[in-house]
Amino acid sequence: MGQKPFASSADLAAKEQTLEVLADGVYALTAEGDPNVGAIEGEDFLVCFEALATPVAARQWLATLRQHTDKPVRYLVLSHYHAVRVLGASAFDADVVIAHERTRALIAERGRQDWESELARMPRLFREPASIPGLTWPTLTFDAQLSIDLGGDRGELVLRHPGRGHTEGDLVAWLPRQRVLFAGDLVEAQAALYTGDAFHRDWSTTTLDRLAALDARVLVGGRGPVVRGRDEVAAAVEQTRHFLTVLLREVDAVRRRGGGLRDAFQASHAALVDRYGGWPIFEHCLPFDVARAWDELSGVERPAIWTAQRDREVWDRLQG
C-alpha cells in the first residue's frame, strides 16, 4: 500500500458547504464529507447541534444560518467530546451548552490530548486555531434523556443517549413531530467511520437498534449527505452496522489465528476497501479503528487516550 500522508494532513482543498432546510425551522449544513452541523428553531430561540473545530469556522456557519433566522442561540448541543465537534462553541454565545454526563468526564480526562491529536490529523478543519479560547465545558449534562419544548406548535426536541458507540457519551437529537434525527457520528452516510474511541460491540448491536427503532424519515449523520426516506435512513443505519461488523470480524479472525496488529489492519483494509474506500476519511480512520478494535477484543474496556505521539506511532506501524 505504500506510505500515505499522515491522516488528513494532506487534505487541504476547500469543501463546498450546502445548507438544507429539512422541515420548517430545521436546518443542516453539510460539506462534502466534512463534519455536519445543524440547527432547530424554537418559538423564540435556536438550538444548535455541534460546534465545529474553531470559533472562526463556527461563525461562518452562523453567518449562513442568519440568512434564514435571527433568533438567539439558547442551547448548543454537543453530540460527543471530539475536538472538531466542540472547540468552536464560544462563537455561539449560547445560554446553555448541553452534553451527556460522560462527555463532560471525557473532556476532563482527555480533552487536551484530543485537541492536539485532531489538530495534527485534520489541520484544514481548524480555521485559525488561535481563536480557540480553551476546552469547551458543558453547563448542563444528563444521563438518558432530556427534552426541550420548542414552543408554539413546534413540538419538542428530544436528546437521547442510545448507548455506547462512537464514544462513551454520544447523544442524538430527535424531532418526533418532524421525524428528523441528528445522529452525530453514530451513523455516517457515505463517509467512513472513525472508531478509535468506540465500543464496537455495543454500537453495532443495541445502540444502532435503538436508533433504527425511531423510524426516522430524515437523518443527518456525522458526515456525508442528508438521508431522506424511511428505506434510505434504514440503509444508512445498516451500512454503519455493516462496517462495524466486518471490522470486528476481520480483527478477531486475525487475533484468533495468532496474527498481529498489522495483519489485522491489512485484512480489514482488504475486506472494507471495495465498498468504503472511496468515501471521505477511510484511509485516515482505518488504522485507528483497527487499533481500538484490537484492544477491545483483547479485553481493554475503555479506549486508550489518543495523543499526537500515539497517533503517529500507530499510523507509521499500519499505514507505513
Side-chain angles (χ1 to χ4, degrees), residues 219-243:
L219 182 144
V220 183
R223 295 172 181 259
V226 174
V227 180
R228 292 178 171 83
R230 171 184 280 170
D231 291 345
E232 290 75 12
V233 170
V237 173
E238 292 311 309
Q239 161 215 298
T240 301
R241 194 191 310 271
H242 178 263
F243 186 104

Side-chain angles (χ1 to χ4, degrees), residues 19 49 69 73 107 128 131 155 174 226 291 296-297:
L19 178 69
F49 188 75
T69 175
V73 180
I107 291 169
E128 299 187 33
S131 66
W174 169 235
V226 174
E296 186 176 9
L297 290 165

Side-chain angles (χ1 to χ4, degrees), residues 193-216:
L193 271 65
Y194 175 71
T195 74
D197 296 298
F199 296 79
H200 297 84
R201 289 172 289 194
D202 288 2
W203 188 358
S204 61
T205 55
T206 55
T207 298
L208 286 180
D209 289 345
R210 290 172 183 139
L211 295 186
L214 294 173
D215 195 25

Side-chain angles (χ1 to χ4, degrees), residues 171-187:
L171 62 82
V172 301
W174 169 235
L175 288 160
R177 181 172 173 271
Q178 299 88 346
R179 307 204 73 77
V180 175
L181 176 64
F182 291 88
D185 281 336
L186 286 172
V187 181

Side-chain angles (χ1 to χ4, degrees), residues 106-119:
L106 287 163
I107 291 169
E109 178 187 52
R110 58 186 70 194
R112 175 62 63 173
Q113 295 95 321
D114 184 72
W115 178 353
E116 295 169 355
S117 165
E118 295 205 344
L119 176 59

Side-chain angles (χ1 to χ4, degrees), residues 280-300:
I281 67 172
F282 174 79
E283 296 292 349
H284 168 163
C285 293
L286 195 61
F288 310 112
D289 297 353
V290 171
R292 169 54 188 158
W294 182 278
D295 281 355
E296 186 176 9
L297 290 165
S298 301
V300 179

Side-chain angles (χ1 to χ4, degrees), residues 69-93:
T69 175
D70 61 359
K71 295 174 182 177
V73 180
R74 181 176 298 172
Y75 302 100
L76 173 63
V77 178
L78 307 175
S79 70
H80 62 285
Y81 79 96
H82 286 153
V84 295
R85 301 292 182 183
V86 305
L87 292 180
S90 62
F92 292 82
D93 196 25

